[in-house]
Amino acid sequence: MTVLPPGGLVRPAALKPGDRVAVIAASGPPDQRNLETGLTSLRGLGLEPEVFASARADGDYLAGDDRLRAEDLTAALTDPSFAAVFCAAGGYGAQRTLELVDWRRIGTPTPRVIVGYSDVTALLEAVAVKLGWASLFGPMPACGGFGPGHDDFDSLARLLTDPKSVRELRFPDSRPLIGGSAEGVTLGGTVTLLACSLGTDTSLPAAGGLVLMEDVGEEPFRLDRFLTQLRRGGYLDGAAGVICGTFTGCGERDQVEALLRDRLGDLGIPVLIRADIGHGVPQQTFPIGVRARLDADAGTLTLQDPALR
């Protein structure tokens, strides 16, 4: 079983003007109009995006076939000319992509920034387990609103280009479900993907971690099912703290928060709720694999290391 290093994961280098970045699809087919807007925004940061075939592929709910997505991911991770890999969109399909990835073929490439959220949670976990890299749970180029002046894009841009300036994430609308503070390494993501990775060789248990949890479009009983699976599967054993982001379309807020208290409140660790991370809000980008301190009462996450080096 993979153990989370107490000192955090290997942090890739920050991005700078002129860096080439790969844009792939590991999941569903991206909206092409949104993608073009997103590519313009990446160029506005001085980056040079290369769009892979998977990010242009069509399909009912998958971006092309599994082999195409796996080959594009492999190329993006191993080509030394790329400083970052942006997943164009989420949806569904990352688990199927990972099924075909040959990590021996990937080897030990130079660390590079990986960006995405939602279904891409599975890929961020896999990169942590197989390559030991930190990554960014944040907005994606084809998801709309990916541009200057949008809080979610601006949050990501700061972390990408000037990570030393971002030493604290503040969640002014949050509140402690269970108060207190804790230190650990950031990890987690979308609940359904964390639960679906259990039992695979790319699941990263939360022992010693400050765990992000968020989701979208899951009825309360289904959300209960996935949280219970994480508990029964041992994922949460030894976790240091939990940051609950958005649960958009998962029921009334009071109902969801009662469920979170029922499933997380007896862990004996701080639990923060209503953080602006995840679906349905202009989200703050959440670093994965970085040492941090959670203060649930103050609604802050203080990064003890910059998200990127």
Side-chain angles (χ1 to χ4, degrees), residues 80-299:
S81 71
F82 291 118
V85 181
F86 289 84
C87 291
Y92 169 74
Q95 297 279 9
R96 289 180 54 154
T97 301
L98 292 172
E99 188 177 13
L100 294 186
V101 172
D102 183 347
W103 294 98
R104 293 170 300 179
R105 177 181 164 198
I106 290 174
T108 55
T110 302
R112 62 209 66 193
V113 186
I114 312 294
V115 183
Y117 80 109
S118 193
D119 194 62
V120 181
T121 295
L123 174 56
L124 302 187
E125 273 200 300
V127 165
V129 171
K130 296 296 188 179
L131 302 177
W133 298 354
S135 58
L136 298 177
F137 184 93
M140 298 176 284
C143 287
F146 189 88
H150 294 270
D151 289 344
D152 46 3
F153 177 83
D154 293 342
S155 169
L156 173 62
R158 283 192 297 273
L159 276 174
L160 288 172
T161 62
D162 189 16
K164 291 182 180 179
S165 71
V166 184
R167 300 310 295 264
E168 185 177 76
L169 302 186
R170 290 184 168 272
F171 309 112
D173 297 325
S174 67
R175 71 175 183 85
L177 184 69
I178 306 296
S181 61
E183 295 185 358
V185 177
T186 57
L187 75 164
T190 302
V191 169
T192 49
L193 273 300
L194 298 174
C196 288
S197 287
L198 284 177
T200 72
D201 63 351
T202 58
S203 179
L204 181 60
L210 299 174
V211 188
L212 170 66
M213 290 188 167
E214 68 85 42
D215 220 309
V216 62
E218 297 292 342
E219 293 184 42
F221 79 90
R222 293 206 301 260
L223 185 59
D224 185 329
R225 177 187 297 147
F226 288 116
L227 290 169
T228 300
Q229 173 68 0
L230 290 172
R231 288 172 61 102
R232 296 189 65 218
Y235 174 84
L236 291 167
D237 293 353
V242 179
I243 302 105
C244 292
T246 60
F247 287 90
T248 302
C250 295
E252 296 297 325
R253 173 186 277 184
D254 289 348
Q255 185 180 22
V256 172
E257 292 180 1
L259 172 59
L260 294 175
R261 180 177 291 279
D262 178 62
R263 296 286 73 198
L264 304 176
D266 65 348
L267 297 178
I269 58 178
V271 179
L272 180 74
I273 60 174
R274 303 183 189 176
D276 56 340
I277 304 173
H279 296 78
V281 296
Q283 65 170 320
Q284 296 190 69
T285 296
F286 184 84
I288 299 289
V290 178
R291 295 186 308 130
R293 183 177 188 272
L294 169 66
D295 187 331
D297 299 298

Side-chain angles (χ1 to χ4, degrees), residues 13-23 38-50 82-86 113 115 141 146 153 156-157 160-161:
L15 301 186
K16 60 186 184 303
D19 278 344
R20 294 183 72 230
V21 299
V23 179
L39 294 173
T40 298
S41 299
L42 290 177
R43 295 186 186 104
L45 295 176
L47 305 175
E48 299 179 5
E50 179 174 325
F82 291 118
V85 181
F86 289 84
V113 186
V115 183
F146 189 88
F153 177 83
L156 173 62
L160 288 172
T161 62

